[in-house]
Amino acid sequence: MICRNVATNPALRNSDFFRHLISKSPNLAHLTQTHAQIILNGLQTDVITITKLAQKLSDFNSIRHASLLCHTFPKPDIFLFNVLIRAYSHNKNPLSAISTYAKIRKTTILKPDNFTYAFILSALDDGLDERLGLLLHCHSVVDGYGSDVFVGSAVVDWYFKFSRVGLALKVFDGMPDRDTVLWNTVISGLARNCAFTEAMKIFMKMLGEGAVFDSATLATVLPAAAELQEMTLGKGIQCLALKIGVDCHAHVLTGLVSLYSKCGDCDTAEYLFGQILRPDLISCNAMISGYTCNHDTESAVGMFKELLHSRERVNSSTLVGLIPVHSPFGFLNLTYSIHAFSLKSGVVSNPSVSTAMTTVYSRLNEIEPARKLFDDCPEKTLAGWNAMISGYTQNGLTEKAITLFQQMQGSDVRPNHVTVTSMLSACAQLGALTLGKWVHDVIIKEKLEMNVYVSTALIDMYAKCGSISYARQLFDSMPDKNVVTWNAMISGYGLHGHGQEAVTLLNEMSASRVLPTEVTFVCALYACSHTGLVKEGNDIFRSMVHDYGLKPLSEHYACMVDIFGRAGQLNKAMEFIEGMPVEPGPAVWGTMLGACMIHKDKKLARIASDKLFEFEGEGVGYYVLLSNIYSSERSYAEAASVRQLAKKKQLAKTPGCTLIEIGGTPHVFTSGDRSHPQSDAIYEKLESLLGKMREAGFQTETVTALHDIEEEEKEISVKVHSEKLAIAFGLISSEPGTEIRIIKNLRVCVDCHTATKFISKVTERIIVVRDGNRFHHFREGMCSCGDYW
């Protein structure tokens, strides 16, 4: 009807009328008719009218039509191009946006303005080469828009997409003027990159500078407070919402629901959820997730069923919130059900659902279905790679974690701090220094942020791979350290037998006003136990209880028993056990039995073993310890009885194995192993070494060998222990003078420890051994542990 009036009334055929008509067009068909009338009325070259038309076409998702309109226009201005780039951005077509920007610069005399840069940067996603964004940022600065707040918000948001947190903050700090949108962009970006503490700091800075905040600001910062479980800060944000009258806004209430539920107050979360007049799916998802993270799986499932009964279409976020990632144990069947539902509803391929399912299966030690989900997901996101790599690491499948990370290196997905932290953990478990250094090189090559988490993981890796001095260098170079950083360094000193350094560092930690935790004291006490620091250990234990008000756990009691026991103060260890305010558990009695083995106290060993074997599921190692104590005292009948009891209970001893890396390739040996391609050369080298060692005064220690074989056979059995074979292989496979590093899964035996001292002397090599307890650095016939391990 409108178009007929245009044809019969020439007075209405002007550009203003058509612009008004375009703005009121209810659908694409009507807009197409309007376009036809624009052409009939000769306005197809009016840039303002065509720009308005292109904008409306993009609103109706008719991007192809809008693109043809712009690219065929005889003399487009920059505003018309901006409309097209914005349309591409909204419709997630970054390549076309980039192509349009390139056309502006190459084929026109037009100069991009601040809107051009803001729209083009918004169009880029993390699937593109990040150098494009860096180039566009440079172009914007050259064109004079480096200080433009509109461009600045887009640049900051882009850097956050690529996890370039440092660069994003640098741009933000350099902006002379900051509006609410820019502040919100920074807070949101930090929260998306799991930098929750930093997000809270920026929010506090925003308040301190008197910047205007809105409901979007509060809704953005609430997730950060929720993840940090900062209830006090969260309540402060809630007060601000009340003050400016946005406390009843649905998105603010939803943020508060997440806050209270993640802080463990599900009752208040439920009350706030009830204040939402018409809860949308996002609010319901927040409540379901809240129930799940508070281990109220029944309520989460109940609410999910209500959504289904109301015929509300659930989405991927609903299922992610329902998946029991926080408390998976005992919910394998529920996990199977959610997996089946996601398959049936077609959302299993959604990256967030796939990642959550991969995570929960990994935590349930169901690695095969976790890997299948990962492999079947068509879009492998960074979070998906991280979940699978982390799953392998958590389940001790370090080699698979490393292999998967290497595959990731060949993909288009760049690692972030979560990826490399998992990888460094895998290298630390494996003791693979070469691989750990490679991951460190990847961090540098990828220019990843050296935040506190990455730096702490590097410290832990270097310490557990034998490079304690380099770990300390990294520690000293860190401007900010959290409690985990201090714990990693103290633990590292303990592993290397540097007890005094660990005690000194604990004192420095207290002076730096970083509060130690229960884990901190376990690390410190462990360091004292392995270096004979009885007084220091006792003082630390007392300080933990009286100065910090921490309740000792079984690990702390076991460490104290170990401190007294290793120092030979077995009666004092027993007095400590008898004075414990709680019933001693397997860890305490097992430690006592180990001390009895070191000092060959059969009487106390019997008491410890009798207590120990009262517990269900005791390990075979305790039986071996007791048997060895009897064997050392030549009480062979009792030793045989203990071994028979272990056999009757079908307890199998973990076989000893030793790993050595040569040229980045791991080689694993077991006792008496002859499977290695260079086996003949290894045994020949071992015989040659034994001859030189005997000349230097070495005598085979057979105390821990099987009691029911002849002495000569005992010598043969300990001679071919896995660590000796690994060292012999290292000697024939490396240049003279090269340091040899090996890793054993069990505690090194007395004979191998003595033998390694002699080998270091006769070969003039440094030999570093990481056993199941700690590090041993052998040099010139001496060990760093001082024979105290």
Side-chain angles (χ1 to χ4, degrees), residues 132-152:
L132 285 169
L134 289 167
L135 182 65
L136 287 166
H137 184 196
C138 292
H139 283 181
S140 69
V141 173
V142 170
D143 283 347
Y145 299 108
S147 299
D148 184 89
V149 69
F150 193 49
V151 176

Side-chain angles (χ1 to χ4, degrees), residues 487-766:
N487 291 353
M489 196 65 238
I490 293 170
S491 173
Y493 276 137
L495 280 173
H496 288 267
H498 301 328
Q500 195 57 61
E501 289 87 342
V503 173
T504 301
L505 199 62
L506 178 64
N507 293 331
E508 289 177 15
M509 180 182 181
S510 300
S512 69
R513 297 184 179 179
V514 176
L515 283 176
T517 63
E518 289 90 345
V519 175
T520 313
F521 286 106
V522 169
C523 296
L525 291 171
Y526 176 90
C528 291
S529 74
H530 281 263
T531 43
L533 300 179
V534 178
K535 180 183 180 302
E536 291 84 347
N538 211 13
D539 290 344
I540 288 169
F541 185 82
R542 290 178 182 277
S543 176
M544 177 185 76
V545 176
H546 299 296
D547 297 338
Y548 292 96
L550 296 174
K551 186 178 180 181
L553 305 174
S554 63
E555 294 89 343
H556 300 108
Y557 290 123
C559 280
M560 286 305 299
V561 172
D562 202 33
I563 286 171
F564 292 126
R566 285 179 184 274
Q569 301 177 22
L570 296 182
N571 289 329
K572 199 163 185 178
M574 281 300 295
E575 288 174 13
F576 180 85
I577 293 173
E578 290 166 358
M580 284 172 55
V582 296
E583 190 67 26
V588 172
W589 288 116
T591 303
M592 186 66 199
L593 184 60
C596 293
M597 169 62 196
I598 294 169
H599 299 285
K600 300 180 175 60
D601 191 319
K602 188 166 63 174
K603 180 183 175 183
L604 288 179
R606 170 58 73 182
I607 295 172
S609 62
D610 285 346
K611 291 286 187 180
L612 190 62
F613 298 154
E614 289 176 6
F615 296 97
E616 291 294 326
E618 65 272 17
V620 67
Y622 300 136
Y623 288 88
V624 173
L625 274 176
L626 186 59
S627 174
N628 287 339
I629 292 171
Y630 287 134
S631 294
S632 67
E633 295 290 321
R634 299 188 180 278
S635 301
Y636 296 134
E638 289 177 291
S641 175
V642 172
R643 289 181 184 271
Q644 279 299 115
L645 182 59
K647 189 175 181 180
K648 184 179 178 181
K649 290 192 173 188
Q650 297 182 326
L651 297 173
K653 183 183 176 183
T654 303
C657 63
T658 302
L659 178 145
I660 182 170
E661 271 190 287
I662 300 293
T665 303
H667 300 262
V668 180
F669 294 88
T670 55
S671 184
D673 196 348
R674 287 190 175 271
S675 63
H676 197 277
Q678 294 176 255
S679 182
D680 291 342
I682 292 168
Y683 277 84
E684 185 180 333
K685 182 65 176 179
L686 199 54
E687 284 296 331
S688 171
L689 280 173
L690 282 171
K692 292 178 182 178
M693 289 157 59
R694 288 195 180 104
E695 289 176 9
F698 171 69
Q699 290 185 335
T700 303
E701 170 62 66
T702 60
V703 169
T704 56
L706 294 173
H707 67 274
D708 52 355
I709 58 176
E710 296 297 327
E711 195 68 26
E712 184 180 344
E713 291 180 86
K714 289 182 182 181
E715 287 197 25
I716 294 171
S717 70
V718 296
K719 183 175 73 175
V720 293
H721 277 185
S722 61
E723 50 264 64
K724 292 190 180 82
L725 296 175
I727 292 170
F729 175 64
L731 290 169
I732 66 173
S733 305
S734 59
E735 294 295 324
T738 307
E739 184 177 279
I740 293 173
R741 291 171 175 264
I742 65 170
I743 300 158
K744 183 169 183 180
N745 64 329
L746 305 176
R747 181 181 183 271
V748 65
C749 74
V750 175
D751 182 70
C752 286
H753 190 268
T754 305
T756 308
K757 287 197 294 184
F758 276 90
I759 293 171
S760 72
K761 183 178 182 179
V762 301
T763 62
E764 298 182 349
R765 296 278 195 116
I766 296 172

